[in-house]
Amino acid sequence: MSRRASLPGASELFRITSSPALDLPPAPAQPAPSTGNGNGNGSGDEAGHAHKDRLTHAARSGSGRTKHDAKITVYVSGDELLAMEQARLNLRAKHGLVLDRGRLVREAVAVLLADFDAAGEESVLVQRLRAGAEDGKETEN
């Protein structure tokens, strides 16, 4: 019996691990334009408005655990990082949701952008950026 450990070869280490079922085309950034009165179902009732909100939410959902083709680097303060880690641990302990920081950030961005699409001037994003500008906080890096 050999005393050497059995290690995988290079072909096994560098094999393609994605499956064709997971290689879905990216979701459109915005819902496709519709005909009629703009709510997508041809009627002017509140159900059509709710339908449009669901479409906007669906278009702005986080991408989850997929291979991403773009990367950004974001610098955060120690307090912001600690708050993010506490939120991540709370999600795990109280809600049974296990996720990494990247997923947390992607979901947070998706929620913020969906609110911006829906509320525009009244969105949380606009209000916070205006408040930061009024306080003299830097708004750009």
Side-chain angles (χ1 to χ4, degrees), residues 99-110:
L99 63 151
D100 59 17
R101 287 184 288 199
R103 172 90 187 270
L104 180 63
V105 169
R106 287 189 300 274
E107 289 296 332
V109 168

Side-chain angles (χ1 to χ4, degrees), residues 18-38:
S18 64
S19 72
L22 295 178
D23 294 336
L24 301 175
Q30 295 179 357
S34 62
T35 59
N37 62 6

Side-chain angles (χ1 to χ4, degrees), residues 60-62 72 103-115:
R60 291 288 189 194
S61 64
I72 63 169
R103 172 90 187 270
L104 180 63
V105 169
R106 287 189 300 274
E107 289 296 332
V109 168
V111 168
L112 196 64
L113 292 176
D115 177 56

Side-chain angles (χ1 to χ4, degrees), residues 32-93:
S34 62
T35 59
N37 62 6
N39 64 13
N41 65 2
S43 66
D45 61 2
E46 288 299 315
H49 181 65
H51 177 69
K52 183 177 178 183
D53 289 344
R54 283 192 304 272
L55 285 176
T56 301
H57 176 68
R60 291 288 189 194
S61 64
S63 57
R65 293 188 60 98
T66 61
K67 182 176 178 180
H68 298 92
D69 57 351
K71 177 183 176 182
I72 63 169
T73 300
V74 178
Y75 293 92
V76 296
S77 69
D79 290 341
E80 291 167 333
L81 183 60
L82 182 60
M84 192 183 330
E85 285 297 321
Q86 287 173 335
R88 196 177 65 80
L89 291 172
N90 258 338
L91 286 165
R92 183 178 187 163

